[in-house]
Amino acid sequence: MIRRATPNDVDGIIATNIECLPEHYPLSFWMEHIERWGDAFYVAEVNGKIVGYVMCRIEYGQGYVRNVMRTLGHVVSVAVREKFRRRGIATNLMLASMDAMKRVYGVEEVYLEVRVSNEPAINLYRKLGFEIVKKIENYYLDGEDAYVMAREL
Ligand code: ACO
Ligand code: ZN
């Protein structure tokens, strides 16, 4: 089941993040996103347990797809626990979040950074209509490069 995140979900969200990704954040960072951009923060729940999430923030800045100042939706982090992958959960989380970003926040373009080696995620984003618009060298702490991927909403 996909639903909006609440502050009560933060423990399960952080546990999912630690299990799935090397990029971790302080509790205050997760809470800030739930409080400020909660309409675009979704979780996937199975039998009362959080198995996936997508966390976004809304920004105003230069677009990648169209080179103009606009309202941007920044997908900060998305993850699904290993046992629950390949069932469309990340797709549904992203679709719910993108719909809310457009409807609630007036987002015109969505973007994110992804490791150049992260084929599953790159495939997921391509399927959702994102394109690689930029490469950022040495973006991650371990020195790996990032692709910026973006699409208009
Ligand atoms: N290999 C190749 N393509 C894949 C894979 C894979 N292992 N997993 C997903 N995809 C692609 C496929 O095209 C898939 O469609 P298909 O199953 O019909 O072939 C499509 O993505 C959609 O897959 P979903 O089932 O919706 O994705 P899932 O729920 O499995 O979650 C995710 C994908 C989030 C990337 C998951 O593998 C994960 O949590 N990985 C670790 C964390 C991570 O890398 N997160 C993204 C970091 S970047 C960021 O956060 C902005
Ligand atoms: Zn980012």
Side-chain angles (χ1 to χ4, degrees), residues 8 16 25 34-35 37 44 59 62 64 69 78 89 93 99 101 103 110 118 120 122 124 126 134 139-140 143 147 149:
N8 293 327
T16 303
Y25 314 99
I34 294 179
E35 278 159 14
W37 304 290
E59 299 167 356
Q62 197 80 27
Y64 292 99
M69 293 298 284
V78 50
I89 291 179
L93 286 167
D99 179 64
M101 282 195 259
R103 202 169 22 83
V110 194
N118 193 345
I122 292 168
L124 163 73
R126 277 224 165 90
K134 188 182 168 177
Y139 180 76
Y140 294 97
Y147 287 133
M149 297 185 73

Side-chain angles (χ1 to χ4, degrees), residues 104-115:
V104 180
Y105 301 106
V107 163
E108 299 166 277
E109 183 175 323
V110 194
Y111 79 97
L112 53 84
E113 301 91 14
V114 59
R115 285 177 182 268

Side-chain angles (χ1 to χ4, degrees), residues 74-76 113 139:
H74 180 173
V75 180
V76 177
E113 301 91 14
Y139 180 76

